Amino acid sequence: MTEHEQLLTNLKYLKMNEMTNHLDETINFINKNNLSFTEGLIKLTNYEIDHKEASMIKAMVKVGAFPHTKEIKDFDFSYQESINKDQILEFTSHRFIHQNENLVFIGSSGVGKTHLATSIGISAAKKRISTYFIKCHDLVAQLKKAKLENRLEDRLRHFTKYKLLIIDELGYLPIEPEDSKLFFQLIDKRYERRSTILTSNINFSNWDNIFIDPMISNAILDRILHHSHVIQIPGKSYRLKDYFSED
């Protein structure tokens, strides 16, 4: 076995697939550019690192359970002129996550709340910030089921572990008083420890209609809004723009 064959065998044994695939071209590059052993090794190992980083990012995005893979670049800011594009881009720096702050998107159906929340979440996941997306109705249903099965604390810990939790469509369905208490427990556990993004079609003054119990509603609002950025979107629905566009 030649030295080259031995090196290939070693790399395959170590499961360095990208280094194996790029070995010959790297050797040629080293010889052509008269690189040192260290420089050549850095170039070769970078192939493996880049591949593993890409795979890890892909896995983080998959774990996030996002409803789509639309990013900020896919959002039509010209259609929703009320949105401050610079502010949204600032959120993708993830400073609000590092400071345990919340984002709340308020607006009617179809204005882009979920798109923006998801895009910010995907940008966080790509930076290996643990992120999870869930519809409010599904979240409450999981907490309710966990309580019935005497494993509520485990489920609360599960949703608390994410550095960024996106709760979508808060307010589309009312939440029963007992279930509101479960939702409060989660918000309370995340308060000042983790960041949460919420989207809702209901203004804060009407959140009593969501949670039924005014005391619980106020307690939830207090914790969500204490360290938060509120983005009001009074614009038109994306979903209807093609139906009402002028010829």
Side-chain angles (χ1 to χ4, degrees), residues 204-237:
F204 298 125
S205 59
N206 295 319
W207 275 30
D208 286 358
N209 296 330
I210 301 175
F211 298 105
I212 311 300
D213 185 335
M215 186 177 296
I216 292 294
S217 177
N218 289 336
I220 291 171
L221 266 172
D222 180 63
R223 285 157 178 76
I224 288 174
L225 296 181
H226 186 203
H227 305 290
S228 72
H229 303 269
V230 178
I231 303 90
Q232 296 271 359
I233 310 177
K236 301 162 289 186
S237 171

Side-chain angles (χ1 to χ4, degrees), residues 108-166:
S108 57
S109 178
V111 297
K113 305 184 299 297
T114 299
H115 184 154
L116 290 172
T118 300
S119 297
I120 294 168
I122 289 174
S123 74
K126 285 188 170 183
K127 290 296 183 180
R128 296 198 285 182
I129 297 172
S130 59
T131 305
Y132 192 75
F133 177 101
I134 189 168
K135 298 286 186 184
C136 183
H137 176 73
D138 294 333
L139 171 63
V140 171
Q142 287 195 36
L143 294 178
K144 186 175 182 177
K145 185 173 184 289
K147 183 181 179 181
L148 291 172
E149 297 173 351
N150 295 316
R151 54 183 185 84
L152 178 60
E153 284 302 317
D154 287 341
R155 208 63 196 151
L156 287 171
R157 277 195 294 270
H158 169 77
F159 287 120
T160 303
K161 72 180 181 182
Y162 295 103
K163 291 183 179 179
L164 177 61
L165 179 65
I166 303 172

Side-chain angles (χ1 to χ4, degrees), residues 37-199:
F37 172 77
T38 301
E39 290 172 325
L41 194 56
I42 290 173
K43 180 174 178 60
L44 185 60
T45 53
N46 277 342
Y47 285 114
E48 198 69 38
I49 291 172
D50 290 345
H51 178 73
K52 291 188 186 306
E53 283 286 323
S55 297
M56 187 173 297
I57 288 172
K58 186 177 180 180
M60 291 288 288
V61 171
K62 185 177 180 179
V63 167
F66 301 108
H68 54 69
T69 55
K70 295 177 183 177
E71 301 187 51
I72 293 295
K73 61 181 176 60
D74 302 312
F75 190 84
D76 186 0
F77 286 95
S78 64
Y79 187 76
Q80 299 293 22
E81 296 179 353
S82 63
I83 298 175
N84 185 332
K85 182 177 180 179
D86 290 337
Q87 181 187 35
I88 300 300
L89 292 176
E90 163 62 21
F91 294 146
T92 63
S93 73
H94 313 123
R95 187 176 291 109
F96 79 97
I97 299 175
H98 301 310
Q99 295 176 347
N100 299 321
E101 297 173 341
N102 303 319
L103 305 183
V104 185
F105 290 93
I106 302 287
S108 57
S109 178
V111 297
K113 305 184 299 297
T114 299
H115 184 154
L116 290 172
T118 300
S119 297
I120 294 168
I122 289 174
S123 74
K126 285 188 170 183
K127 290 296 183 180
R128 296 198 285 182
I129 297 172
S130 59
T131 305
Y132 192 75
F133 177 101
I134 189 168
K135 298 286 186 184
C136 183
H137 176 73
D138 294 333
L139 171 63
V140 171
Q142 287 195 36
L143 294 178
K144 186 175 182 177
K145 185 173 184 289
K147 183 181 179 181
L148 291 172
E149 297 173 351
N150 295 316
R151 54 183 185 84
L152 178 60
E153 284 302 317
D154 287 341
R155 208 63 196 151
L156 287 171
R157 277 195 294 270
H158 169 77
F159 287 120
T160 303
K161 72 180 181 182
Y162 295 103
K163 291 183 179 179
L164 177 61
L165 179 65
I166 303 172
I167 304 174
D168 192 38
E169 296 187 347
L170 174 66
Y172 282 81
L173 293 172
I175 302 174
E176 294 299 322
E178 287 304 311
D179 298 340
S180 295
K181 294 176 183 177
L182 301 179
F183 188 86
F184 167 76
Q185 288 183 62
L186 175 61
I187 295 300
D188 187 55
K189 282 184 176 294
R190 295 184 61 81
Y191 176 59
E192 294 189 324
R193 299 182 184 91
R194 296 283 189 266
S195 291
T196 304
I197 298 179
L198 297 103
T199 74

Side-chain angles (χ1 to χ4, degrees), residues 4-35:
H4 181 269
E5 291 172 337
Q6 182 64 61
L7 179 54
L8 279 173
T9 299
N10 290 352
L11 291 174
K12 290 177 181 178
Y13 179 80
L14 294 171
K15 296 182 179 180
M16 299 296 182
N17 298 328
E18 295 305 308
M19 292 176 66
T20 301
N21 295 336
H22 293 89
L23 178 61
D24 289 343
E25 70 175 82
T26 302
I27 291 174
N28 291 333
F29 187 84
I30 292 170
N31 293 332
K32 183 178 179 180
N33 294 276
N34 196 29
L35 299 183

